Amino acid sequence: DQPQLPGLLADQAYVALASLDAFESSARPTYLTRARLLAEFALEHLLDKEYGGFFSEAPRADAPGLLRLPDKSIAENAAMAEALTRLYHLTNEEKYRAAAERALAFFAPLYERYSFTAANYAQAVDHLLNYPLHIAIVGEADAEDSRELLNVSLKQYSPAKIIELVDPSRDAARLETLGYPAPTNGAQAYICVGQMCLPPIGEPAQIAESIAQLTRE
């Protein structure tokens, strides 16, 4: 069966978020690629390029009356902005952050009327304006030491956390962007908040205390 309502913003946003979760937990680049494809669809077909924000579905010239201009949902825009912000931190592509900022700015004069139902909007704004806890694990994707660092990192709580496993042989361009050296003696975890970074960590048992130390500073 074919979808009856293809291209809905809610579908793009929530599947993109799920794909990013899958990328972080599995370290499989195909999930990041999927999230980027969904984001690119939203940017091309659903973005209001004049005023910012995303329409719930693509405008249709043949739709009757006011249906020619679809609604903009604060919840769906918050979810899309969250996905775009996470993509920005995983790719360093400024267009994702810019689109997230414009989407959230569109609702800035309106969010108070939504009361507590705007909670995910507030969270998206917070994640846009503040640096996340960023954990980059540099090592072979299938190596046991890389997976141990990844599994321990995934268990740590932070309201805004970005995790990526960077395999030097697979992700050379990303490694160069991050500015980390290829490990010579086992996998290493680099933990940062903005420009504040700890020395690389090779022992999974040190992850939790290192995060606590960094977030206290």
Side-chain angles (χ1 to χ4, degrees):
D1 293 339
Q2 295 298 316
Q4 300 303 303
L5 292 171
L8 297 179
L9 177 62
D11 294 343
Q12 316 310 307
Y14 292 113
V15 177
L17 287 171
S19 298
L20 291 170
D21 288 343
F23 169 69
E24 293 191 2
S25 61
S26 71
R28 293 175 58 184
T30 182
Y31 290 115
L32 179 60
T33 300
R34 183 175 299 172
R36 294 184 70 166
L37 287 173
L38 293 165
E40 293 295 339
F41 178 90
L43 290 173
E44 181 176 353
H45 298 286
L46 302 174
L47 178 66
D48 182 345
K49 295 177 176 61
E50 183 174 1
Y51 297 108
F54 294 88
F55 296 114
S56 293
E57 58 183 297
R60 292 171 41 214
D62 61 343
L66 292 177
L67 293 177
R68 293 174 187 167
L69 190 64
D71 183 35
K72 291 180 182 177
S73 162
I74 188 172
E76 293 171 7
N77 272 264
M80 193 72 243
E82 183 79 23
L84 291 168
T85 299
R86 290 174 65 180
L87 277 171
Y88 164 71
H89 289 298
L90 288 166
T91 66
N92 289 80
E93 292 195 30
E94 179 59 33
K95 66 179 180 180
Y96 294 135
R97 189 187 189 284
E101 183 175 8
R102 288 198 73 204
L104 296 173
F106 177 84
F107 289 95
L110 310 171
Y111 74 90
E112 289 185 348
R113 71 176 64 172
Y114 293 93
S115 185
F116 65 88
T117 63
N120 67 333
Y121 170 82
Q123 177 178 273
V125 171
D126 178 68
H127 292 173
L128 177 74
L129 296 179
N130 296 292
Y131 290 114
L133 173 68
H134 185 269
I135 305 175
I137 297 158
V138 181
E140 295 181 14
D142 296 324
E144 183 177 350
D145 56 352
S146 299
R147 289 291 168 171
E148 288 180 357
L149 289 170
L150 176 62
N151 291 337
V152 172
S153 298
L154 288 167
K155 294 176 182 178
Q156 310 308 309
Y157 172 74
S158 174
K161 181 174 66 175
I162 300 290
I163 299 177
E164 54 182 317
L165 197 162
V166 184
D167 186 327
S169 62
R170 182 190 69 189
D171 310 310
R174 179 61 177 163
L175 187 63
E176 182 178 358
T177 297
L178 292 171
Y180 300 139
T184 57
N185 189 26
Q188 301 286 309
Y190 294 83
I191 304 176
C192 300
V193 175
Q195 301 301 311
M196 294 190 303
C197 297
L198 297 175
I201 297 168
E203 291 295 329
Q206 298 176 353
I207 295 283
E209 178 54 35
S210 298
I211 291 174
Q213 173 190 338
L214 185 60
T215 54
R216 283 196 301 263
E217 295 178 353

